[in-house]
Amino acid sequence: MLTVYSEDHRRQHGRAELTGGALVPCFEKPERADIVLDRVRAAGLGDVVEPDRFGVEPILRVHAPDFVEFLRTSWDEWTRAGRSHDALPLTWLAPGMRRVPPLTIDGRLSYYSFDAGTPITEGTWAAATGAVDVALSAAARVRAGARAVFALCRPPGHHAGSSFYGGYCFLNNAAVAAQWLRDQGAARVAVLDVDYHHGNGTQEIFYRRGDVLTVSIHADPRQEYPFFLGHADEAGEGDGQGANLNLPLPWGTAWDAYRAALDAALARVRDFAPDALVLSFGADTYEKDPISRFKLVHDDYVRMGEAVGRLGLPTAVLMEGGYAVAELGVNTANFLSGIDACL
């Protein structure tokens, strides 16, 4: 299986995030991609190539122009305000407040973000657009006939919506790739998200559309981040009615219960009969992940990959979360090996 990877990811290296009421070192860090790449190579999964460059137009197909411009210029605005540390928001919109774009960088950070765990740094724009290029390069190879391609995206993307960022995500790699596949002629595309956290951004982007199916298996939002989206009754609206499936699971979920949800997810994808699958893969479902509470073990990722591989769909696998860094490479390579065994 081909892997697409870019060194641009190193340019996103935040110093701290606000978690549990404290500023702590960022869980989302360059070592994550390093250890996955090392394991992919050690496992002999295939060649590793650099991405092609696609520019900003595919990004603008799913993200609002004002939001994209904010991400492009926010670090310069931050430093012009006299700051050299990471840029984090000050406040958030609450019910009853008005969504009027502020003029100052502090207000704009608050306007476009939904958490204080996603620092903007000098290299954020380069890293985020580099991750999009990685995702699009994988999608392009799938469109050209590859059965499955791994996009080692960093930063991740599934929490980024059309006009907001958060959850370590700035641009939604999976959504951009799915839309690009549609624009290149795919009649239907499915996005399957198996990260521990709900892909709230992906859902928001496609919620009113019937041409892109979004399916997510994740921790119950009544218990877990991002809290305010991902419930089982969210099925889509308008043209998208029935094209969104959430399968929330409780803390402590192990393989047997997870497999039942995975079977339901894969059945829905089969029924949709997409021309291609974009898969948001997160290994933060692992039992030792420091910020998650599922109980999957190493061999479960092989089983998960085999189940996905048996769909027989052209598949772009995009890296999302996973923060037990020492084991992240093993779990990711196991998942890819499971798919590879079905090719």
Side-chain angles (χ1 to χ4, degrees), residues 4-40:
V4 187
Y5 166 83
S6 171
E7 285 284 324
D8 288 342
H9 82 88
R10 299 187 187 283
R11 301 188 65 179
Q12 174 61 21
H13 195 173
R15 301 174 193 175
E17 63 177 85
L18 184 63
T19 298
L23 278 174
V24 300
C26 291
F27 289 100
E28 206 295 292
K29 52 191 176 181
E31 291 92 329
R32 296 180 60 252
D34 294 341
I35 201 163
V36 170
L37 184 63
D38 288 347
R39 187 69 183 191
V40 163

Short mmCIF file of all heavy atoms in Angstrom, two decimals, residues 4-40:
data_model
loop_
_atom_site.label_atom_id
_atom_site.label_comp_id
_atom_site.label_asym_id
_atom_site.label_seq_id
_atom_site.Cartn_x
_atom_site.Cartn_y
_atom_site.Cartn_z
N VAL A 4 1.46 8.36 1.40
CA VAL A 4 1.80 9.74 1.04
C VAL A 4 2.15 10.48 2.32
O VAL A 4 1.40 10.42 3.31
CB VAL A 4 0.65 10.44 0.31
CG1 VAL A 4 1.11 11.81 -0.20
CG2 VAL A 4 0.14 9.60 -0.85
N TYR A 5 3.27 11.19 2.30
CA TYR A 5 3.79 11.84 3.52
C TYR A 5 4.51 13.13 3.15
O TYR A 5 5.19 13.20 2.13
CB TYR A 5 4.75 10.89 4.23
CG TYR A 5 5.61 11.54 5.30
CD1 TYR A 5 5.10 11.73 6.58
CD2 TYR A 5 6.90 11.96 5.02
CE1 TYR A 5 5.88 12.33 7.57
CE2 TYR A 5 7.68 12.55 6.00
CZ TYR A 5 7.17 12.73 7.27
OH TYR A 5 7.94 13.33 8.24
N SER A 6 4.38 14.14 4.01
CA SER A 6 5.07 15.41 3.79
C SER A 6 5.76 15.87 5.07
O SER A 6 5.18 15.82 6.16
CB SER A 6 4.07 16.50 3.35
OG SER A 6 4.70 17.76 3.33
N GLU A 7 6.97 16.34 4.91
CA GLU A 7 7.71 16.90 6.04
C GLU A 7 7.11 18.22 6.51
O GLU A 7 7.46 18.71 7.59
CB GLU A 7 9.18 17.13 5.64
CG GLU A 7 10.00 15.86 5.57
CD GLU A 7 10.37 15.34 6.96
OE1 GLU A 7 10.62 16.15 7.87
OE2 GLU A 7 10.38 14.09 7.12
N ASP A 8 6.18 18.78 5.76
CA ASP A 8 5.54 20.04 6.18
C ASP A 8 4.85 19.90 7.53
O ASP A 8 4.63 20.91 8.22
CB ASP A 8 4.50 20.48 5.13
CG ASP A 8 5.13 21.00 3.86
OD1 ASP A 8 6.33 21.33 3.88
OD2 ASP A 8 4.43 21.06 2.84
N HIS A 9 4.49 18.69 7.93
CA HIS A 9 3.78 18.51 9.19
C HIS A 9 4.58 19.05 10.38
O HIS A 9 3.99 19.48 11.38
CB HIS A 9 3.44 17.03 9.41
CG HIS A 9 4.55 16.21 9.97
ND1 HIS A 9 4.77 16.07 11.32
CD2 HIS A 9 5.52 15.47 9.35
CE1 HIS A 9 5.81 15.29 11.52
NE2 HIS A 9 6.28 14.90 10.34
N ARG A 10 5.91 19.04 10.28
CA ARG A 10 6.75 19.49 11.40
C ARG A 10 6.54 20.96 11.73
O ARG A 10 6.88 21.42 12.83
CB ARG A 10 8.22 19.24 11.10
CG ARG A 10 8.55 17.80 10.88
CD ARG A 10 10.05 17.57 10.74
NE ARG A 10 10.27 16.19 10.36
CZ ARG A 10 10.19 15.17 11.21
NH1 ARG A 10 9.91 15.39 12.48
NH2 ARG A 10 10.39 13.93 10.79
N ARG A 11 5.97 21.70 10.81
CA ARG A 11 5.80 23.14 11.03
C ARG A 11 4.65 23.45 11.99
O ARG A 11 4.52 24.58 12.43
CB ARG A 11 5.64 23.84 9.68
CG ARG A 11 6.85 23.61 8.78
CD ARG A 11 6.80 24.44 7.53
NE ARG A 11 6.88 25.87 7.83
CZ ARG A 11 6.87 26.82 6.90
NH1 ARG A 11 6.77 26.48 5.62
NH2 ARG A 11 6.94 28.08 7.24
N GLN A 12 3.82 22.45 12.29
CA GLN A 12 2.83 22.59 13.35
C GLN A 12 3.39 21.91 14.60
O GLN A 12 3.39 20.69 14.71
CB GLN A 12 1.49 21.97 12.96
CG GLN A 12 0.45 21.97 14.09
CD GLN A 12 0.09 23.37 14.58
OE1 GLN A 12 0.29 24.36 13.88
NE2 GLN A 12 -0.45 23.46 15.78
N HIS A 13 3.88 22.72 15.52
CA HIS A 13 4.49 22.18 16.74
C HIS A 13 4.13 23.11 17.89
O HIS A 13 4.92 23.93 18.32
CB HIS A 13 6.01 22.06 16.58
CG HIS A 13 6.65 21.21 17.63
ND1 HIS A 13 7.98 20.87 17.59
CD2 HIS A 13 6.15 20.61 18.74
CE1 HIS A 13 8.27 20.11 18.64
NE2 HIS A 13 7.17 19.95 19.35
N GLY A 14 2.88 22.96 18.34
CA GLY A 14 2.41 23.81 19.42
C GLY A 14 3.12 23.51 20.73
O GLY A 14 3.54 22.38 21.00
N ARG A 15 3.20 24.53 21.58
CA ARG A 15 3.88 24.37 22.86
C ARG A 15 2.95 23.85 23.95
O ARG A 15 3.37 23.07 24.80
CB ARG A 15 4.46 25.72 23.31
CG ARG A 15 5.45 26.31 22.31
CD ARG A 15 5.89 27.70 22.74
NE ARG A 15 6.58 28.41 21.67
CZ ARG A 15 6.99 29.67 21.74
NH1 ARG A 15 6.77 30.38 22.84
NH2 ARG A 15 7.61 30.24 20.72
N ALA A 16 1.70 24.31 23.96
CA ALA A 16 0.80 23.94 25.06
C ALA A 16 -0.65 24.00 24.61
O ALA A 16 -1.00 24.75 23.69
CB ALA A 16 1.02 24.85 26.26
N GLU A 17 -1.49 23.22 25.28
CA GLU A 17 -2.93 23.26 25.10
C GLU A 17 -3.59 23.31 26.47
O GLU A 17 -3.00 22.89 27.48
CB GLU A 17 -3.41 22.04 24.33
CG GLU A 17 -3.16 20.71 25.05
CD GLU A 17 -3.72 19.53 24.30
OE1 GLU A 17 -3.03 19.00 23.40
OE2 GLU A 17 -4.86 19.12 24.62
N LEU A 18 -4.81 23.82 26.51
CA LEU A 18 -5.57 23.88 27.76
C LEU A 18 -6.42 22.62 27.87
O LEU A 18 -7.34 22.41 27.10
CB LEU A 18 -6.45 25.12 27.79
CG LEU A 18 -7.23 25.36 29.08
CD1 LEU A 18 -6.28 25.58 30.25
CD2 LEU A 18 -8.17 26.56 28.92
N THR A 19 -6.09 21.76 28.83
CA THR A 19 -6.80 20.50 29.06
C THR A 19 -6.96 20.28 30.55
O THR A 19 -5.99 20.42 31.30
CB THR A 19 -6.03 19.32 28.44
OG1 THR A 19 -5.93 19.50 27.03
CG2 THR A 19 -6.73 17.99 28.72
N GLY A 20 -8.17 19.95 30.98
CA GLY A 20 -8.40 19.70 32.39
C GLY A 20 -8.09 20.89 33.28
O GLY A 20 -7.70 20.74 34.44
N GLY A 21 -8.26 22.08 32.72
CA GLY A 21 -8.03 23.30 33.49
C GLY A 21 -6.58 23.70 33.60
O GLY A 21 -6.26 24.65 34.33
N ALA A 22 -5.68 23.02 32.89
CA ALA A 22 -4.26 23.33 32.99
C ALA A 22 -3.65 23.42 31.59
O ALA A 22 -4.08 22.74 30.66
CB ALA A 22 -3.53 22.26 33.80
N LEU A 23 -2.63 24.26 31.45
CA LEU A 23 -1.84 24.28 30.24
C LEU A 23 -0.83 23.14 30.31
O LEU A 23 -0.01 23.09 31.23
CB LEU A 23 -1.12 25.62 30.08
CG LEU A 23 -1.95 26.77 29.48
CD1 LEU A 23 -1.15 28.06 29.53
CD2 LEU A 23 -2.37 26.46 28.04
N VAL A 24 -0.91 22.24 29.33
CA VAL A 24 -0.03 21.07 29.31
C VAL A 24 0.62 20.98 27.93
O VAL A 24 0.11 21.56 26.95
CB VAL A 24 -0.82 19.79 29.62
CG1 VAL A 24 -1.47 19.88 31.00
CG2 VAL A 24 -1.88 19.52 28.55
N PRO A 25 1.73 20.27 27.81
CA PRO A 25 2.33 20.07 26.48
C PRO A 25 1.33 19.43 25.52
O PRO A 25 0.53 18.57 25.92
CB PRO A 25 3.52 19.14 26.76
CG PRO A 25 3.87 19.40 28.19
CD PRO A 25 2.56 19.66 28.87
N CYS A 26 1.36 19.83 24.27
CA CYS A 26 0.39 19.35 23.29
C CYS A 26 0.51 17.83 23.07
O CYS A 26 1.61 17.30 22.86
CB CYS A 26 0.59 20.05 21.95
SG CYS A 26 0.16 21.80 21.98
N PHE A 27 -0.63 17.15 23.12
CA PHE A 27 -0.66 15.72 22.80
C PHE A 27 -0.45 15.50 21.31
O PHE A 27 0.10 14.49 20.89
CB PHE A 27 -1.99 15.11 23.23
CG PHE A 27 -2.16 14.98 24.71
CD1 PHE A 27 -2.90 15.91 25.43
CD2 PHE A 27 -1.57 13.94 25.40
CE1 PHE A 27 -3.06 15.79 26.80
CE2 PHE A 27 -1.73 13.80 26.77
CZ PHE A 27 -2.47 14.74 27.48
N GLU A 28 -0.91 16.44 20.50
CA GLU A 28 -0.77 16.34 19.04
C GLU A 28 0.58 16.97 18.67
O GLU A 28 0.73 18.18 18.65
CB GLU A 28 -1.93 17.08 18.36
CG GLU A 28 -2.25 16.55 16.97
CD GLU A 28 -1.15 16.77 15.97
OE1 GLU A 28 -0.88 17.92 15.62
OE2 GLU A 28 -0.51 15.77 15.56
N LYS A 29 1.58 16.15 18.34
CA LYS A 29 2.96 16.60 18.17
C LYS A 29 3.63 15.86 17.02
O LYS A 29 3.16 14.80 16.59
CB LYS A 29 3.73 16.40 19.47
CG LYS A 29 3.64 14.99 20.04
CD LYS A 29 4.21 14.94 21.46
CE LYS A 29 4.04 13.56 22.08
NZ LYS A 29 4.56 13.52 23.46
N PRO A 30 4.74 16.41 16.52
CA PRO A 30 5.39 15.81 15.34
C PRO A 30 5.78 14.36 15.51
O PRO A 30 5.78 13.59 14.53
CB PRO A 30 6.62 16.70 15.14
CG PRO A 30 6.22 18.02 15.70
CD PRO A 30 5.36 17.70 16.89
N GLU A 31 6.12 13.92 16.72
CA GLU A 31 6.52 12.54 16.94
C GLU A 31 5.46 11.55 16.49
O GLU A 31 5.77 10.39 16.16
CB GLU A 31 6.85 12.30 18.41
CG GLU A 31 8.11 13.00 18.88
CD GLU A 31 7.84 14.39 19.45
OE1 GLU A 31 6.87 15.05 18.99
OE2 GLU A 31 8.59 14.80 20.35
N ARG A 32 4.20 11.97 16.48
CA ARG A 32 3.13 11.07 16.06
C ARG A 32 3.35 10.59 14.62
O ARG A 32 3.27 9.39 14.33
CB ARG A 32 1.77 11.76 16.17
CG ARG A 32 1.38 12.15 17.58
CD ARG A 32 0.01 12.85 17.60
NE ARG A 32 -1.03 11.99 17.08
CZ ARG A 32 -1.63 12.16 15.90
NH1 ARG A 32 -1.31 13.19 15.12
NH2 ARG A 32 -2.57 11.33 15.50
N ALA A 33 3.61 11.53 13.74
CA ALA A 33 3.82 11.14 12.34
C ALA A 33 5.13 10.38 12.18
O ALA A 33 5.22 9.44 11.37
CB ALA A 33 3.81 12.38 11.45
N ASP A 34 6.14 10.77 12.93
CA ASP A 34 7.44 10.09 12.82
C ASP A 34 7.33 8.61 13.13
O ASP A 34 7.85 7.75 12.40
CB ASP A 34 8.45 10.73 13.78
CG ASP A 34 8.80 12.17 13.41
OD1 ASP A 34 8.56 12.56 12.24
OD2 ASP A 34 9.30 12.90 14.29
N ILE A 35 6.64 8.29 14.22
CA ILE A 35 6.59 6.89 14.64
C ILE A 35 5.70 6.07 13.71
O ILE A 35 5.97 4.89 13.47
CB ILE A 35 6.16 6.79 16.12
CG1 ILE A 35 6.59 5.43 16.68
CG2 ILE A 35 4.64 6.98 16.28
CD1 ILE A 35 6.59 5.38 18.20
N VAL A 36 4.66 6.69 13.16
CA VAL A 36 3.83 5.97 12.19
C VAL A 36 4.63 5.69 10.93
O VAL A 36 4.61 4.56 10.39
CB VAL A 36 2.56 6.77 11.86
CG1 VAL A 36 1.82 6.15 10.68
CG2 VAL A 36 1.64 6.84 13.08
N LEU A 37 5.35 6.67 10.43
CA LEU A 37 6.15 6.48 9.22
C LEU A 37 7.20 5.40 9.42
O LEU A 37 7.40 4.55 8.55
CB LEU A 37 6.80 7.80 8.82
CG LEU A 37 7.59 7.77 7.51
CD1 LEU A 37 6.66 7.48 6.33
CD2 LEU A 37 8.32 9.10 7.30
N ASP A 38 7.87 5.43 10.56
CA ASP A 38 8.89 4.41 10.84
C ASP A 38 8.29 3.01 10.82
O ASP A 38 8.88 2.08 10.28
CB ASP A 38 9.54 4.68 12.20
CG ASP A 38 10.46 5.89 12.19
OD1 ASP A 38 10.80 6.38 11.10
OD2 ASP A 38 10.83 6.35 13.29
N ARG A 39 7.11 2.86 11.41
CA ARG A 39 6.49 1.54 11.48
C ARG A 39 5.98 1.09 10.11
O ARG A 39 6.07 -0.10 9.76
CB ARG A 39 5.34 1.55 12.49
CG ARG A 39 4.75 0.19 12.76
CD ARG A 39 5.72 -0.71 13.51
NE ARG A 39 5.19 -2.05 13.70
CZ ARG A 39 5.72 -2.96 14.49
NH1 ARG A 39 6.81 -2.67 15.18
NH2 ARG A 39 5.17 -4.15 14.61
N VAL A 40 5.44 2.00 9.34
CA VAL A 40 4.99 1.67 7.99
C VAL A 40 6.16 1.13 7.17
O VAL A 40 6.03 0.13 6.44
CB VAL A 40 4.35 2.90 7.31
CG1 VAL A 40 4.25 2.73 5.81
CG2 VAL A 40 2.97 3.17 7.91
#
